[in-house]
Amino acid sequence: MTPESCPIKTTLSMISGKWKLTIIKELLTYESIRFGELMRAIPNISHKVLTDQLRELEDDGLVVRTDYQENPPRVEYSLTKLGVGMVNIMKEIRRWGLFHLLNNKKNPVRCLKCEQCQNNPYGC
């Protein structure tokens, strides 16, 4: 198998980047979201980095950008069908993180089924 055809490398190249998984997590929470709302949902990300990461996710077919051609401008982002397919990956990341938290004596978890976890489609 060549490096270009490795499924793990393909997936990692699509989601690599400091903020891509966080962006996907937020987009899984909402059907569509405006850029400013996404900025508020991810408070430590810069405008430029969010723009760049969204463009890369769009180029990889995970995110769709919808420009409504209105004045004032309105642009919304949502996951494509391929992007929504990331839900299983996010569930596994959550499961692994929960296992780590439960077995970490420094930061024990008090609640496994909090309201936030129950209301999100992928469980976190």
Side-chain angles (χ1 to χ4, degrees), residues 48-67:
K48 180 189 181 328
V49 171
L50 179 57
T51 299
D52 292 345
Q53 297 280 274
L54 283 167
R55 283 184 183 149
E56 288 176 23
L57 288 166
E58 188 178 6
D59 289 344
D60 286 333
L62 297 173
V63 170
V64 64
R65 178 184 187 269
T66 305
D67 187 344

Side-chain angles (χ1 to χ4, degrees), residues 11-64:
T11 303
L12 289 176
S13 72
M14 293 174 81
I15 62 174
S16 66
K18 182 176 179 181
W19 298 101
K20 285 185 182 177
L21 287 176
T22 303
I23 293 167
I24 292 169
K25 173 189 168 293
E26 292 302 324
L27 292 173
L28 281 168
T29 304
Y30 304 98
E31 189 171 320
S32 66
I33 188 169
R34 295 179 74 167
F35 185 88
E37 294 169 326
L38 203 47
M39 283 286 298
R40 285 187 291 280
I42 310 170
N44 295 326
I45 194 169
S46 72
H47 187 281
K48 180 189 181 328
V49 171
L50 179 57
T51 299
D52 292 345
Q53 297 280 274
L54 283 167
R55 283 184 183 149
E56 288 176 23
L57 288 166
E58 188 178 6
D59 289 344
D60 286 333
L62 297 173
V63 170
V64 64

